[in-house]
Amino acid sequence: MVTLCGTCRLSHRTRALSGHININGQERDLRSFRKMSCYIMQDDQLLPHLTVMEAMMISAQLKMDEDLSLDYKKSAVLDILETLGLMECSGTYTERLSGGQRKRLAIAQELVNNPPVMFFDEPTSGLDSSSCFQCVSLLKYLTQGGRTIVCTIHQPSAKIFEMFDKLYMMTSGRCIYDGRTSLVVPFLGSYGLKCPPYHNPADYLMEVSSGDYGEDTIDMLVVAIASNAAAIFEEAYKQTCEQAPHAKTGNDQCTCNEKECRCLATRSPKVQNYTLDKVPIFVLPADQAVDGSISITELPNGNVNGDACVVVEVGTSNGTNGHCRADTSLLAQTDDDKSVVAECHSFSTSCLTQFRVLFIRTFKSIMRDTTLTRLRLFSHLAIGVLIGLLYKGLGEDGTKAFFNAGCLFFSMLFIMFTALMPTILTFPMEMGVFVREHLNYWYSLKAYYFAKTMADLPFQIIFPLIYGSIVYWMTSQPPEFHRFALFLAYSVMTALVAQSLGLVVGAGLDLQSAVFLGPVTAIPILLFSGFFVSLKIIPQYLQWLSYLSYVRYSFEGTMLAVYGFNRTAICTDPAVDPSVDLVDQMMADIPMGERCFFHEANEFLEQMGIDSAGLWWVDLLVLCFFFVVLRLIAYLVLRWKVRSYR
């Protein structure tokens, strides 16, 4: 399925495969074909915090020509919702929809630009019998408009099975039936495989394909299909039905002599000399296969000279079903029409429109997401007040300088994790939506990534500002504006860099791996930050790792903001004379909590391994560098991941 629709993900299972796919007799141009087709996955990939109407309008604004008016797009959306029975839940969030409604919404989103070819991966998976019937009935209805519907389905009911026009049945990589669904029972009967009365033909065919009637039966059917016996049988079936005096209006309902049909079919010279060893089956090399060999059977129209060939017919001419032939002008590239080629490789809307629509969508999703907004806001407020109460007044007390350094380090630690973990948890879940929409030509990767970055930027700035403002004043840090502004600047940059790292991890890994690897990557970052171990005593062969720790620059910058800029004596307790040496204080039996270990702020910075003459803007520039580099890496990881699906 994914190979036909052009979204086959490269892996050890598919990398060794080769061949070509023909569409209406012409070799498929992948990018053009993906533009005129859509692929709806088994899992309904929808953003949970959008209503049905919002999701549909976003789809219309991205997939329909931007020259069309908004009223026209809304009218088209309303028609689709009315047709698919989604009007009553148009104001419902997608996370609250039933399984059948989610499936219909996923179909509706792809119908806004009226694609002539639609691929479905098990559309009835996870649905009850009633929803399954409604879903397949909808697909059958869509074919009446000239669309070609291709889908995989497992164990359908007899009522659903008879809705399909054509069936392609495979077992172990070999085709055992390729023809009209209504003729599968007579065809099997002509080979001695009688479907019991009142038995589901789909179940019976599954039993045959599973080997319940012997492997010889499967080999017999494989040879028959490879020799084009099904097509010959269908033609013979029509002829006998037309000649039969009791033939009815519909050919599918007539009864005829199955032996006679089989006789006509096997009389073909192509069938007489066809054996199993002549059936072209393509198997991956043993070192490339997983869980046994993986084989792909060539269709009868294919070329038997090596590579696999798949032939697909798009649209149906005006005939028995009254279908309109689909527009297939984008199927193949021609040297005579460069404009069509250029147009088919572009999106329906400009990058600016894509960015605007995606920015609004992402911003709405973040605002409505409890984890990303309300919970984070509450945690910044609550933890800020808690830290302020715990370290209250330590900023101006030089006797507790080490404790104040712990307060500053924990602040950077808290901001780092509150920006890192939500991104790691939510971004992998959005990847499915992004991959589906991007591969179906909704928008470009650049527009999505830029909108994603800009929409979350205000929240990554506001939350650290709230936390930093609470902690800074409650802990009585120096009441100077430039120090306060620098403390907030380092807090914001720490959040932005941590979120960028979360994007890298979330984009490259699945959710389970990302949740484990995210905190693990934070361990070396914290160890080499200069708080637990002074940078001066780190072994020489490990000191280079400290330059990769962005928390080092955050911690160093906040320490310079609080204790730098030629701060005066930090021992302000009148009971402690700053001129008295520390040894004399110990001899005078002054309590530990009242001893002034450092008379000047510069002495404390040097003890922490921080250059008191260091330039504060260097740390800020390094954090900005980390931010840009990690964002670029996240974009490249996304780009690589998208290419792996093509």
Side-chain angles (χ1 to χ4, degrees):
M1 175 65 71
V2 293
T3 304
L4 290 178
C5 67
T7 60
C8 182
R9 185 173 184 178
L10 295 177
S11 65
H12 55 273
R13 293 177 178 268
T14 59
R15 199 176 299 275
L17 300 180
S18 61
H20 59 277
I21 298 176
N22 292 339
I23 308 294
N24 289 353
Q26 300 177 351
E27 186 170 355
R28 181 191 69 175
D29 176 65
L30 180 57
R31 298 189 66 180
S32 303
F33 183 71
R34 283 179 51 238
K35 184 176 177 63
M36 60 164 290
S37 63
C38 67
Y39 174 49
I40 299 177
M41 304 176 183
Q42 178 179 352
D43 298 328
D44 305 317
Q45 305 289 351
L46 301 171
L47 293 178
H49 303 294
L50 296 177
T51 64
V52 173
M53 178 59 72
E54 289 173 342
M56 286 297 298
M57 286 303 300
I58 289 172
S59 175
Q61 293 180 66
L62 290 173
K63 292 173 68 70
M64 300 178 72
D65 197 322
E66 59 183 339
D67 295 333
L68 300 174
S69 65
L70 186 62
D71 292 337
Y72 179 86
K73 295 177 181 178
K74 188 173 183 179
S75 176
V77 166
L78 292 176
D79 289 342
I80 294 174
L81 293 180
E82 184 69 29
T83 303
L84 273 61
L86 293 173
M87 280 298 297
E88 59 182 10
C89 57
S90 60
T92 306
Y93 289 128
T94 58
E95 61 181 350
R96 301 175 184 173
L97 297 177
S98 64
Q101 290 173 332
R102 291 176 61 87
K103 184 68 67 176
R104 279 180 282 160
L105 177 58
I107 297 173
Q109 286 183 305
E110 301 298 339
L111 286 177
V112 293
N113 64 333
N114 195 24
V117 185
M118 303 183 73
F119 294 91
F120 294 84
D121 183 14
E122 299 185 33
T124 60
S125 178
L127 303 180
D128 55 56
S129 58
S130 176
S131 299
C132 287
F133 180 76
Q134 293 178 2
C135 180
V136 178
S137 299
L138 172 62
L139 299 184
K140 183 71 174 179
Y141 174 77
L142 294 177
T143 61
Q144 305 300 319
R147 300 178 186 87
T148 298
I149 306 296
V150 183
C151 67
T152 58
I153 191 167
H154 291 170
Q155 294 181 323
S157 64
K159 194 174 183 180
I160 293 177
F161 184 70
E162 66 182 7
M163 292 184 182
F164 290 90
D165 298 318
K166 190 173 181 180
L167 174 67
Y168 190 86
M169 185 72 181
M170 297 184 68
T171 176
S172 301
R174 301 182 297 175
C175 179
I176 62 173
Y177 185 75
D178 178 19
R180 292 167 58 187
T181 306
S182 57
L183 294 182
V184 62
V185 174
F187 178 78
L188 294 178
S190 67
Y191 284 89
L193 299 171
K194 299 290 184 179
C195 180
Y198 310 106
H199 197 75
N200 185 357
D203 292 340
Y204 182 70
L205 190 56
M206 288 293 295
E207 294 171 2
V208 173
S209 65
S210 299
D212 293 355
Y213 296 90
E215 293 296 330
D216 295 339
T217 301
I218 297 178
D219 295 340
M220 175 182 64
L221 293 176
V222 170
V223 171
I225 296 301
S227 61
N228 210 24
I232 301 174
F233 178 87
E234 180 179 344
E235 185 63 28
Y237 196 89
K238 290 181 180 180
Q239 294 177 6
T240 55
C241 288
E242 292 173 356
Q243 297 172 2
H246 54 275
K248 300 181 181 180
T249 305
N251 289 341
D252 293 352
Q253 286 78 27
C254 73
T255 58
C256 63
N257 192 334
E258 294 174 351
K259 293 183 178 180
E260 182 180 356
C261 294
R262 184 186 178 189
C263 181
L264 290 173
T266 55
R267 203 174 296 161
S268 169
K270 187 176 181 180
V271 180
Q272 293 177 354
N273 299 324
Y274 220 96
T275 58
L276 184 63
D277 57 353
K278 295 183 179 182
V279 178
I281 301 178
F282 303 97
V283 184
L284 289 176
D287 58 345
Q288 298 287 339
V290 177
D291 299 329
S293 61
I294 303 171
S295 56
I296 295 182
T297 305
E298 181 183 68
L299 295 182
N301 298 29
N303 181 359
V304 296
N305 293 328
D307 292 345
C309 173
V310 181
V311 181
V312 180
E313 294 183 0
V314 177
T316 55
S317 59
N318 297 333
T320 57
N321 294 331
H323 297 179
C324 298
R325 187 171 183 82
D327 180 15
T328 59
S329 60
L330 298 178
L331 282 175
Q333 293 188 19
T334 61
D335 296 333
D336 299 332
D337 192 0
K338 299 296 183 181
S339 61
V340 174
V341 176
E343 181 182 358
C344 73
H345 286 180
S346 62
F347 296 93
S348 300
T349 55
S350 63
C351 290
L352 183 60
T353 301
Q354 294 173 24
F355 168 76
R356 177 179 57 82
V357 175
L358 293 173
F359 177 83
I360 296 174
R361 184 181 75 169
T362 306
F363 191 83
K364 284 183 178 180
S365 298
I366 295 175
M367 286 293 294
R368 296 170 182 175
D369 193 332
T370 304
T371 303
L372 285 180
T373 52
R374 303 173 191 173
L375 191 57
R376 279 203 299 177
L377 177 60
F378 174 78
S379 64
H380 281 78
L381 289 172
I383 300 300
V385 173
L386 179 62
I387 296 300
L389 293 175
L390 181 63
Y391 293 94
K392 184 174 177 61
L394 293 187
E396 60 183 5
D397 189 353
T399 62
K400 300 179 177 61
F402 281 110
F403 299 114
N404 192 44
C407 172
L408 298 178
F409 177 79
F410 179 83
S411 296
M412 298 300 105
L413 179 65
F414 171 76
I415 291 174
M416 180 192 74
F417 274 106
T418 51
L420 175 69
M421 294 310 299
T423 306
I424 289 178
L425 290 172
T426 57
F427 194 64
M429 292 186 290
E430 297 178 11
M431 279 297 299
V433 179
F434 161 70
V435 169
R436 175 181 66 86
E437 294 175 348
H438 178 69
L439 294 182
N440 286 334
Y441 263 68
W442 286 36
Y443 46 76
S444 65
L445 172 61
K446 295 178 182 178
Y448 168 80
Y449 187 71
F450 192 49
K452 173 74 177 175
T453 300
M454 296 302 295
D456 200 37
L457 198 61
F459 301 94
Q460 295 296 343
I461 295 176
I462 293 174
F463 292 149
L465 290 180
I466 294 175
Y467 173 84
S469 300
I470 296 173
V471 171
Y472 191 89
W473 298 113
M474 288 190 67
T475 55
S476 301
Q477 304 299 335
E480 300 176 32
F481 177 76
H482 68 281
R483 297 180 186 272
F484 174 62
L486 279 179
F487 178 79
L488 294 182
Y490 286 114
S491 300
V492 170
M493 287 307 304
T494 302
L496 293 177
V497 174
Q499 188 210 21
S500 303
L501 179 60
L503 288 175
V504 174
V505 177
L509 302 173
D510 57 90
L511 181 59
Q512 291 80 5
S513 302
V515 170
F516 170 77
L517 189 61
V520 171
T521 56
I523 294 177
I525 292 176
L526 297 177
L527 285 178
F528 292 92
S529 63
F531 176 76
F532 296 103
V533 180
S534 177
L535 299 177
K536 294 182 179 180
I537 64 174
I538 294 179
Q540 192 71 26
Y541 55 88
L542 291 178
Q543 283 190 358
W544 64 273
L545 290 173
S546 64
Y547 296 101
L548 302 179
S549 172
Y550 62 90
V551 178
R552 167 194 172 174
Y553 303 98
S554 302
F555 177 61
E556 183 177 287
T558 55
M559 290 289 289
L560 287 174
V562 173
Y563 293 101
F565 298 99
N566 298 320
R567 183 175 175 180
T568 57
I570 57 178
C571 290
T572 59
D573 192 343
V576 179
D577 184 2
S579 62
V580 180
D581 188 72
L582 179 60
V583 177
D584 296 334
Q585 294 182 35
M586 297 176 64
M587 295 297 294
D589 200 20
I590 299 177
M592 179 65 70
E594 299 179 4
R595 294 174 184 171
C596 187
F597 291 91
F598 307 100
H599 296 163
E600 300 293 334
N602 292 342
E603 297 178 2
F604 177 56
L605 290 176
E606 293 176 0
Q607 182 65 30
M608 296 296 296
I610 300 174
D611 185 6
S612 59
L615 301 177
W616 58 268
W617 54 268
V618 173
D619 294 320
L620 206 57
L621 284 180
V622 172
L623 288 175
C624 293
F625 174 77
F626 270 105
F627 171 73
V628 174
V629 170
L630 288 175
R631 292 281 172 164
L632 181 60
I633 293 175
Y635 173 79
L636 295 177
V637 170
L638 273 178
R639 188 180 182 88
W640 165 78
K641 200 163 189 177
V642 168
R643 286 190 174 184
S644 69
Y645 281 94
R646 295 176 179 175

